[in-house]
Amino acid sequence: MLTKCPSCDRQIPADSRRCPHCGNKLNPPPSLDDQPPKKREFLLLACWEMLLGKRPVSCAGIAVAISFFVFTLACVLAVLVWGLAPTSSAKPAWRLTGQATSTPRPTSKPLPMVESTTTLSPQAPPYDEIFISMQTMTEVQWNRYREAIEGTQVISWTGWVEDVAEKTFSSCELRIDMDPPESQDSAFDVRFDIPTGEEALAIAKDSPITFSGRIDQVSDLSQADIVISLEDVAWTIESDASALPPTAVPEPGVIIETDDGLITVPGSAYMDGRDLEADPPVTVMAIDVWDSPQRSEVVCQVEHGTPVEVLALEENEAEHRDYLKVRSGDCEGWVPLAFVNPKQHEPEGEQR
């Protein structure tokens, strides 16, 4: 096969490297093996040619082949893991858990209900009803009933002082028998704490007592005896036993809620001259007692912390403030409600 020399334009063999006429060096067309790799070649094709021996193996080629192998293996493993992942359609445990639908068997006698009133908490049943319930109920019924009445409000129960027991140097336990002293089965049925002091020393055994408070606990000591523990108690002891016959039931009093508990009218409390809202706090040590809620004149003074009897409650409409009628010894009159507290407190801050 002939071709022309590009220099002298003579016919020369096509595979000549030099022109035999002019000596011009010819550049033969490169073969496929001498051509540089085209950009359109893919990594897969290059690796395949190296495996078949059509492409020379170099360090760069080995690195490319290893990289391709690792990449391919990672893709295969990812597909396998994704395909084997659990696709459970099980329902959540809370949907599989059944709820009990059984109803309790009715009893032959319905449980006594604790009556609700408009007072601060549900009103407790009479003591006699609680005692009879304990004797007539099964153990399951009694436990449920006892839990229901704990926390309810006792209003003006009447009993007799069975004993005053000293607990610590600062408190005593006043024990009350709900049966008259002449009863053969006399034992204390109700108890609550009172401060140790002259007031505790002055309480006589078998004195009639009227009290209100909240039921803290009901303890059944035996099938024939229960003891009810009270807290936030207001109480009054009658000076004359004949003034409160065993069959008399006092009318419910007025219950006042304070930060320290309940004040019952009539009842007992302590004078409190502290003014904690003042900055700094102060305590009025001698509290004025007025002739009326309208405060015409001061009739006497009562010291801070003194126990008093609370006799009545009345509102001063001009001041929009409640006043309590209190009595301590020969001093009797009206004081603002803020000066009366169900608990005894030490003075705080400056004393005036």
Side-chain angles (χ1 to χ4, degrees), residues 32-33 35-58 60-62 64:
L32 294 178
D33 293 338
Q35 293 181 0
K38 298 180 179 179
K39 293 184 178 180
R40 66 173 179 266
E41 289 183 321
F42 294 98
L43 180 61
L44 180 60
L45 180 60
C47 292
W48 179 253
E49 289 180 352
M50 283 190 293
L51 291 176
L52 295 180
K54 294 184 177 181
R55 181 183 293 270
V57 180
S58 62
I62 294 174
V64 171

Side-chain angles (χ1 to χ4, degrees), residues 91-105:
K91 294 182 179 179
W94 65 269
R95 292 186 180 271
L96 300 178
T97 303
Q99 297 181 355
T101 57
S102 60
T103 56
R105 296 176 58 187

Side-chain angles (χ1 to χ4, degrees), residues 21-329:
H21 303 287
C22 65
N24 182 42
K25 188 176 180 179
L26 303 175
N27 292 323
S31 64
L32 294 178
D33 293 338
D34 296 333
Q35 293 181 0
K38 298 180 179 179
K39 293 184 178 180
R40 66 173 179 266
E41 289 183 321
F42 294 98
L43 180 61
L44 180 60
L45 180 60
C47 292
W48 179 253
E49 289 180 352
M50 283 190 293
L51 291 176
L52 295 180
K54 294 184 177 181
R55 181 183 293 270
V57 180
S58 62
C59 294
I62 294 174
V64 171
I66 293 174
S67 300
F68 175 73
F69 176 75
V70 173
F71 175 76
T72 305
L73 181 60
C75 293
V76 172
L77 290 178
V79 172
L80 291 177
V81 172
W82 182 267
L84 296 177
T87 57
S88 174
S89 59
K91 294 182 179 179
W94 65 269
R95 292 186 180 271
L96 300 178
T97 303
Q99 297 181 355
T101 57
S102 60
T103 56
R105 296 176 58 187
T107 59
S108 57
K109 178 183 178 181
L111 297 178
M113 299 300 294
V114 179
E115 297 181 0
S116 297
T117 64
T118 58
T119 56
L120 300 177
S121 60
Q123 182 174 339
Y127 173 82
D128 290 342
E129 180 179 324
I130 299 176
F131 183 76
I132 294 173
S133 298
M134 184 269 297
Q135 293 182 318
T136 57
M137 288 181 178
T138 65
E139 181 179 355
V140 174
Q141 292 173 338
W142 166 246
N143 288 337
R144 179 180 174 186
Y145 177 77
R146 178 173 56 183
E147 292 175 358
I149 64 175
E150 289 179 351
T152 58
Q153 185 68 33
V154 170
I155 298 180
S156 296
W157 280 6
T158 303
W160 289 262
V161 176
E162 196 274 336
D163 197 4
V164 179
E166 192 166 8
K167 296 180 62 178
T168 64
F169 67 92
S170 61
S171 68
C172 293
E173 183 178 81
L174 181 54
R175 298 173 178 176
I176 301 171
D177 188 358
M178 298 302 289
D179 299 316
E182 59 271 15
S183 174
Q184 296 180 353
D185 299 329
S186 180
F188 77 93
D189 306 302
V190 180
R191 62 186 177 190
F192 53 85
D193 293 344
I194 62 172
T196 299
E198 295 182 0
E199 188 175 13
L201 294 173
I203 299 175
K205 189 177 178 65
D206 297 338
S207 298
I209 182 173
T210 303
F211 56 94
S212 301
R214 186 171 65 253
I215 295 180
D216 177 54
Q217 186 177 13
V218 181
S219 305
D220 48 342
L221 304 180
S222 66
Q223 190 62 25
D225 193 13
I226 59 174
V227 175
I228 298 177
S229 302
L230 301 181
E231 57 184 5
D232 297 334
V233 182
W235 49 280
T236 302
I237 294 181
E238 298 292 336
S239 58
D240 185 5
S242 62
L244 187 62
T247 57
V249 178
E251 294 294 330
V254 178
I255 298 178
I256 303 171
E257 182 180 17
T258 70
D259 293 338
D260 285 337
L262 305 177
I263 299 176
T264 302
V265 185
S268 60
Y270 299 90
M271 298 302 296
D272 187 359
R274 298 174 305 151
D275 185 0
L276 302 180
E277 296 182 358
D279 188 20
V282 298
T283 300
V284 178
M285 297 304 297
I287 301 171
D288 291 338
V289 179
W290 298 84
D291 61 335
S292 68
Q294 287 69 37
R295 300 195 305 173
S296 299
E297 61 176 336
V298 176
V299 295
C300 55
Q301 290 184 325
V302 180
E303 292 292 327
H304 165 82
T306 302
V308 295
E309 297 177 67
V310 181
L311 306 176
L313 170 68
E314 188 173 322
E315 180 185 4
N316 183 326
E317 296 181 356
E319 298 179 0
H320 301 288
R321 189 162 58 161
D322 289 330
Y323 279 74
L324 290 175
K325 187 175 185 181
V326 299
R327 180 171 60 198
S328 174

